[in-house]
Amino acid sequence: MPDSLPALEADRSQIRRQITTLGDLRPGSICAVPRRCGKPTCHCAKPKDPGHDPQLRLTYKVDGKTVAESFATPAAFHKAQAEIHEYQRLQKLCADLVAVNQKICRLRPADKPTENWSVEEKKRLLRSIRKSHAN
């Protein structure tokens, strides 16, 4: 059974309210990078050695390039983790909002039915379509 228009509008309002409750957010991901200390006598300098414990880093894009930041404290790590989680929540809410709006657009009738396109309306529409395809 398809959703009714009032139910979909209520869903949309609920999603909008959830968006307003979002906290601090930022895009990126946290990854663990194995590291080498650089001392020639250390075990990590040997070939095929996995290195020292992995170092956690925040990675994100700036002007198309990936930037990595290390965490100075565990608190900084947890803060970044919470901000990334909020960003992912925003992405999901945005996708849900678009999906609900698409359903609303399909169900909502046109304002007033017109008989046919006038000749002038057809010409204007065709010019507009040609311009958008030219770009």
Side-chain angles (χ1 to χ4, degrees), residues 20-73:
T20 63
T21 66
L22 289 169
D24 293 340
L25 52 91
R26 70 162 117 176
S29 60
I30 296 174
C31 52
V33 180
R35 59 186 180 89
R36 299 185 188 279
C37 67
K39 295 177 185 173
T41 58
C42 183
H43 70 86
C44 68
K46 296 177 182 166
K48 297 185 181 178
D49 188 277
H52 295 281
D53 291 336
Q55 185 179 28
L56 296 174
R57 292 188 182 157
L58 169 68
T59 59
Y60 55 93
K61 295 271 188 177
V62 175
D63 296 328
K65 297 192 184 242
T66 302
V67 177
E69 291 179 13
S70 297
F71 299 108
T73 64

Side-chain angles (χ1 to χ4, degrees), residues 66-132:
T66 302
V67 177
E69 291 179 13
S70 297
F71 299 108
T73 64
F77 166 74
H78 293 298
K79 178 181 175 284
Q81 199 173 31
E83 292 166 348
I84 290 169
H85 177 71
E86 282 294 286
Y87 180 76
Q88 292 168 344
R89 199 171 137 227
L90 172 66
Q91 288 180 312
K92 183 182 179 328
L93 288 170
C94 287
D96 293 346
L97 182 63
V98 169
V100 168
N101 272 310
Q102 286 176 331
K103 290 178 185 177
I104 289 172
C105 290
R106 281 189 212 105
L107 287 177
R108 195 179 306 277
D111 289 338
K112 56 181 180 179
T114 57
E115 298 294 322
N116 290 320
W117 294 90
S118 70
V119 174
E120 193 57 39
E121 286 176 323
K122 282 183 183 178
K123 286 182 182 178
R124 194 175 319 121
L125 181 63
L126 288 173
R127 269 187 254 128
S128 172
I129 291 171
R130 277 191 217 114
K131 284 182 183 177
S132 68

